Amino acid sequence: MATELEELIGFLSHDSPPIKKAAVNIFRDYTGSEDGLQSLGKYSAVAVPSLCRLLAEKKEVSEPAAEALVNLSQVPDLAGKMVEMGIVKIVMDILYKIHCDIKHLLVMLIVNVTQLDAGIESLLQNADEKMQGLYVMKLVRSFCASSSSSERKGDDPFEHVASILVNISQKEAGRKLLLEPKRGLLKQIIRQFDSPSPLRKKGVSGTIRNCCFEAENQLQNLLLVSEFLWPALLLPVAGNKIYSEQDTSKMPPELGSALSIEREAVDDPEICVQALDAIYLLVLQEAGRRAFWSINGPRILQVGYENEENPQVMEAFERVGSLLIQENGVETDTTLAT
């Protein structure tokens, strides 16, 4: 005899739209509790495909189906099963249909499954050389194209792509994809650091930091986008002081012009630490140090450190400063020493 849950899952495929709608709403509510998620674990092989089929229907049905899948994907074991069932391909196919109106939820679903290695592998499409990187390229393009218009409307369905990029850049294969010069993905991503969205800004910062772990082997690819990279890393830690003409004259225009006017300081310690970590990884390399000195980077760190009060950020400053002092022994930077 079928259990109550089995009957409910069966109704997800019912021919009657009202019954199907009622069933998916009840199922969505059921996934909203920890007890409900635990009970659903053994039914995932049937429930997940049924919910996925509903994603392409009208919003009144597709939205609660997507919400249920997002809730289910928060459980690592269930997320792993969903990846095995091909959830990434299903979601990406629906996400780019012309009339998809649950984009925000579908992106959230990808965020959750890419917290698993298997989910990252699936999104990167490493198993298919011809398709490799296509999903990521699509997401980056949408992430960048949707920012300004969506933010003005107060609706930004692709903002959580920022978290997906952080997830995939934690893996070497993801970093290599983002750093491929021909694709130009990192350049597109970095330019989103100017977004007023804290989520976008933090995601971009975290992605840059992760990519800098490839500095030993891919420094030249990182420096190819230095016009955007250095401002994204240095402006958050430069403080809000107006720099002298003597200082800015030694900087590239994109940095000097920004530091010669009044501006708001970045007040998110996590972004500041991520920026300083990335700088540290870059200046560990001899060519990275040369590039950093050529833009008067140490002076920016010195001024930023003088105005910093957060202990974690100060520690990150000091880590970079110690490295620069050991290399050059420049007296003006001793304020950064631990």
Side-chain angles (χ1 to χ4, degrees), residues 16 45 53 80 85 92 107 128 134 149 166 208 223 232 266 277 291 296 323 335:
S16 168
R53 284 192 289 270
M85 295 177 198
M92 290 298 295
V107 171
D128 187 341
L134 180 62
S149 60
V166 172
I208 296 171
L223 295 181
V266 173
D277 285 349
N296 206 14
L323 185 62
T335 52

Side-chain angles (χ1 to χ4, degrees), residues 54-336:
L54 300 180
L55 293 177
E57 298 206 8
K58 292 181 180 179
K59 188 177 182 181
E60 61 184 14
V61 171
S62 63
E63 186 171 57
E67 289 170 343
L69 286 167
V70 169
N71 290 340
L72 290 168
S73 65
Q74 293 177 43
V75 180
D77 287 346
L78 293 178
K81 291 176 182 177
M82 292 164 77
V83 172
E84 291 175 6
M85 295 177 198
I87 192 73
V88 171
K89 183 181 187 309
I90 292 167
V91 168
M92 290 298 295
D93 287 348
I94 295 171
L95 182 61
Y96 285 97
K97 288 187 181 296
I98 295 174
H99 300 297
C100 178
D101 48 13
I102 53 168
K103 292 176 181 175
H104 178 78
L105 290 166
L106 295 180
V107 171
M108 283 297 300
L109 186 50
I110 297 294
V111 172
N112 288 350
V113 299
T114 53
Q115 291 182 43
L116 304 177
D117 289 353
I120 293 173
E121 185 78 12
S122 183
L123 186 67
L124 294 176
Q125 299 168 283
N126 287 336
D128 187 341
E129 284 188 21
K130 293 182 179 178
M131 302 295 287
Q132 191 176 36
L134 180 62
Y135 288 160
V136 175
M137 289 178 69
K138 283 185 172 183
L139 288 170
V140 169
R141 184 166 60 243
S142 299
F143 179 60
C144 298
S146 69
S147 59
S148 56
S149 60
S150 297
E151 286 164 8
R152 283 196 300 269
K153 297 174 186 174
D155 172 36
D156 191 357
F158 287 99
E159 68 174 345
H160 283 279
V161 170
S163 300
I164 296 173
L165 296 172
V166 172
N167 290 347
I168 67 171
S169 62
Q170 290 174 354
K171 297 298 177 182
E172 183 181 3
R175 295 193 292 269
K176 286 185 174 179
L177 174 66
L178 296 178
L179 284 167
E180 284 184 22
K182 290 182 179 180
R183 296 184 191 263
L185 296 177
L186 185 61
K187 179 179 177 180
Q188 296 176 57
I189 293 165
I190 292 176
R191 295 174 76 171
Q192 288 300 303
F193 189 75
D194 291 334
S195 168
S197 162
L199 177 60
R200 281 176 173 266
K201 193 180 288 286
K202 189 172 292 187
V204 171
S205 177
T207 301
I208 296 171
R209 172 189 174 274
N210 290 345
C211 285
C212 286
F213 278 100
E214 295 297 317
E216 184 176 0
N217 300 314
Q218 297 218 44
L219 182 65
Q220 290 308 310
N221 287 340
L222 284 159
L223 295 181
L224 277 175
V225 294
S226 59
E227 177 185 354
F228 306 98
L229 180 64
W230 290 128
L233 295 180
L234 284 166
L235 293 180
V237 298
N240 57 2
K241 175 183 175 180
I242 296 177
Y243 284 62
S244 68
E245 186 176 344
Q246 181 181 1
D247 286 337
T248 58
S249 66
K250 301 172 186 176
M251 301 174 189
E254 57 270 15
L255 267 176
S257 58
L259 295 176
S260 61
I261 58 174
E262 288 188 12
R263 63 201 176 280
E264 289 186 15
V266 173
D267 58 1
D268 188 328
E270 187 177 349
I271 288 178
C272 295
V273 170
Q274 287 174 340
L276 290 162
D277 285 349
I279 293 169
Y280 179 83
L281 292 166
L282 291 169
V283 299
L284 270 175
Q285 312 305 317
E286 183 181 351
R289 286 194 295 277
R290 288 200 303 268
F292 193 65
W293 280 92
S294 74
I295 60 167
N296 206 14
R299 174 58 179 163
I300 296 173
L301 294 188
Q302 181 185 16
V303 174
Y305 180 80
E306 289 170 354
N307 294 280
E308 186 55 58
E309 297 179 355
N310 183 283
Q312 289 180 308
V313 179
M314 292 177 72
E315 184 180 346
F317 264 114
E318 290 160 1
R319 188 161 55 248
V320 182
S322 295
L323 185 62
L324 294 172
I325 293 165
Q326 290 168 17
E327 177 69 17
N328 295 281
V330 177
E331 186 177 346
T332 54
D333 290 315
T334 55
T335 52
L336 294 177

